[in-house]
Amino acid sequence: MSNMLSNWWYPPASEGNRSSLDESRVDTDEDTTIVEPDQGNVLSHIISQLRPGADLSRIVLPTFILEPRSMLERITNFMCHPEMLLHIPSIDDPTERFVAVVKFYLSGWHIRPPGVKKPLNPILGEVFSCYWDLEEGKSRAYYISEQTSHHPPKSSYFYMVPDHHIRIDGTLKPRSKFLGNSAASLMEGIAYLSLLNRGKDKTKGEQYVITQPNMYARGIMFGKMKYELGDHSFVRCPELDLTADLEFKVKGWVGGTYNAIGGAIKRESTGEVLYELSGLWSDEMFIRDVTTGHREMFFNATKSKPSPPKVRPIREQADRESQRLWEKTANAVRERNHEVATDEKTKIEDRQREEAAKRSREGIQWHPRLFRAVKGAHGQPEEGMSDLEWIIDATVDHTATSDQQAEQIKAIYPIVDGQQANLDFLDGNPSRSTMVEPKPPSDEGTETDSGRDAPNEELVETGHGDTTPTTAEPASLPAQTPDEIDKMLSSTGKKPEGPLIDFTEEMKADLPATQSNGQAPQ
């Protein structure tokens, strides 16, 4: 259907050790998708329905904008430059150590799929694990992730390199906003990078608190579709009294350039700026010592070579592991067979709704299998880390030998080749779920955040500048669309019985509730 996908190629997935980077690219081409007239009409047809009062459950998002892998797998992009990470615990100077952490943080953003792509939304309880063989096989890094909530979506992950005293715990909470001709994915959530051989608290190590920039898809209604990172993110180490305020700059209406960054590393207590950062996150980045005025290359994305993780063969995976779960959908997306992709995607999402409805009828409250709620109160194990929300439900003793730590990690869930998953371990009604008072199923039969109420609805953001929230009265849906539009929609997807598109639930949360008189609430 589309010429937009003809300029690059999805390699076929191999049965063993398929790389998480197979569909990502690391060059400096612009992150632009040329939307042909028919596709532009399709997108305009869809976006035209995004008004207060519209029934979003009937809108189908064309699968040509999907990335053929789950968000749980996409998170591993940030761990694909181990050469920037492994030496950090051995740096004795605290400021140099902090600067090295910032460099590692900035090294992963250039790894992204071609054009404008959205990863598949993980289903509740979905799991993805992988590993990296490092330093010519002398050490190994491990990664385990699980979708710990579906509404709102929360992806929790654990990463550890026993030989180098490195651990990362994170929870990513993407939230979608529609901004006129743009769509935003607000990357809420937090990660803690711990250097376990450093720090005053020997149980936690020296901790770095990390947030992420937001992601924008420009030109979704007209013009060229363009991917951008935007807004501020932070790297903080309270123990060292250091913080990095990093701005991912979006291109302005008149001037500016794409993919620019700026920022400063400073003393948090005094605000004293030690270093300034500049450049392009997709190209060359520079650091300037404010004291001496010396400026040098910080990271060159054009010459870097990511280290892709390894994944167990699909035949060894359980039904709810990402690559096995989405295998048929992902293959269809690669082959540009949008009808099959939509069919397979719908089957997975329908099953998830049926499982949620069954739990509701039977009074069963779902709990994650591999992660537990953070114990962040005073005197508890994760004191001060409550904003993480979920953490791996296992004890890995970082004072033990590296081999012993590796065995403890692999005992959490199968990670390396030869570890067979228990096919009943990740079923739709896991044994770790607990009984609660039965309640009638909701109209959608969907799960909230581990039993908590879904967040309050918010206003849709629209406007020429893509920045100003507005409130509008409900408008009627467009008149019957022409036959040719219906034909083009049918070529990219099929109408399901219930919600299908990735953004459906997020968009519902963005729209204001309507009152019985048809007026938007004031």
Side-chain angles (χ1 to χ4, degrees), residues 461-480:
E461 295 184 1
T462 60
H464 298 294
D466 293 349
T467 57
T468 306
T470 60
T471 305
E473 293 185 0
S476 60
L477 290 175
Q480 180 65 37

Side-chain angles (χ1 to χ4, degrees), residues 328-379:
K328 293 180 180 178
T329 304
N331 287 341
V333 170
R334 293 187 190 96
E335 295 165 0
R336 303 191 291 278
N337 190 331
H338 305 298
E339 183 175 356
V340 171
T342 301
D343 285 343
E344 295 300 330
K345 184 168 173 288
T346 303
K347 291 176 185 177
I348 295 171
E349 292 165 341
D350 284 347
R351 185 180 74 177
Q352 179 176 223
R353 284 187 287 274
E354 292 167 0
E355 292 171 350
K358 183 174 185 289
R359 287 193 295 270
S360 182
R361 290 193 304 270
E362 297 178 357
I364 295 175
Q365 182 173 331
W366 186 89
H367 292 285
R369 272 305 183 104
L370 306 178
F371 289 76
R372 62 167 173 79
V374 165
K375 300 174 182 178
H378 179 68

Side-chain angles (χ1 to χ4, degrees), residues 214-496:
N214 298 320
M215 299 181 181
Y216 295 91
R218 308 294 190 189
I220 60 175
M221 289 182 64
F222 53 84
K224 296 180 179 180
M225 290 184 67
K226 176 72 180 179
Y227 169 82
E228 285 192 283
L229 297 177
D231 309 317
H232 288 257
S233 64
F234 297 89
V235 178
R236 296 179 57 244
C237 183
E239 183 172 335
L240 299 183
D241 190 32
L242 291 171
T243 185
D245 179 355
L246 306 168
E247 182 184 6
F248 290 76
K249 302 179 181 181
V250 297
K251 187 178 184 300
W253 286 101
V254 179
T257 185
Y258 287 113
N259 302 348
I261 68 157
I265 296 173
K266 61 183 76 173
R267 295 283 177 198
E268 193 161 24
S269 59
T270 65
E272 176 193 3
V273 176
L274 305 179
Y275 297 93
E276 293 177 341
L277 300 166
S278 61
L280 304 176
W281 54 260
S282 59
D283 202 311
E284 296 178 342
M285 289 178 273
F286 299 90
I287 185 168
R288 176 179 173 271
D289 187 322
V290 173
T291 302
T292 66
H294 177 69
R295 181 175 181 265
E296 64 181 39
M297 179 79 70
F298 197 43
F299 180 75
N300 189 342
T302 65
K303 295 183 178 179
S304 67
K305 184 179 180 181
S307 299
K310 296 180 179 180
V311 185
R312 291 168 23 255
I314 288 178
R315 65 177 180 273
E316 296 180 4
Q317 298 179 22
D319 289 343
R320 264 181 157 74
E321 292 192 57
S322 296
Q323 289 190 359
R324 180 168 179 173
L325 175 70
W326 297 107
E327 181 181 17
K328 293 180 180 178
T329 304
N331 287 341
V333 170
R334 293 187 190 96
E335 295 165 0
R336 303 191 291 278
N337 190 331
H338 305 298
E339 183 175 356
V340 171
T342 301
D343 285 343
E344 295 300 330
K345 184 168 173 288
T346 303
K347 291 176 185 177
I348 295 171
E349 292 165 341
D350 284 347
R351 185 180 74 177
Q352 179 176 223
R353 284 187 287 274
E354 292 167 0
E355 292 171 350
K358 183 174 185 289
R359 287 193 295 270
S360 182
R361 290 193 304 270
E362 297 178 357
I364 295 175
Q365 182 173 331
W366 186 89
H367 292 285
R369 272 305 183 104
L370 306 178
F371 289 76
R372 62 167 173 79
V374 165
K375 300 174 182 178
H378 179 68
Q380 291 188 316
E382 295 88 41
E383 180 178 347
M385 299 173 63
S386 296
D387 46 3
L388 183 61
E389 296 194 42
W390 300 97
I391 195 167
I392 198 74
D393 190 12
T395 299
V396 181
D397 182 6
H398 68 270
T399 65
T401 66
S402 298
D403 289 343
Q404 290 172 331
Q405 291 180 58
E407 292 305 314
Q408 292 169 1
I409 295 169
K410 288 186 289 184
I412 300 171
Y413 191 78
I415 303 175
V416 301
D417 292 18
Q419 282 192 284
Q420 195 80 26
N422 182 345
L423 298 184
D424 297 326
F425 184 76
L426 297 173
D427 57 18
N429 186 18
S431 59
R432 276 193 63 180
S433 298
T434 56
M435 298 298 296
V436 295
E437 187 67 25
K439 59 182 179 180
S442 64
D443 292 338
E444 296 179 14
T446 51
E447 193 83 2
T448 58
D449 180 16
S450 299
R452 292 195 292 272
D453 293 335
N456 294 331
E457 294 181 343
E458 299 177 359
L459 300 181
V460 153
E461 295 184 1
T462 60
H464 298 294
D466 293 349
T467 57
T468 306
T470 60
T471 305
E473 293 185 0
S476 60
L477 290 175
Q480 180 65 37
T481 53
D483 291 341
E484 58 267 22
I485 296 295
D486 290 334
K487 291 178 181 178
M488 285 184 284
L489 278 173
S490 65
S491 70
T492 62
K494 62 180 288 186
K495 292 183 178 180

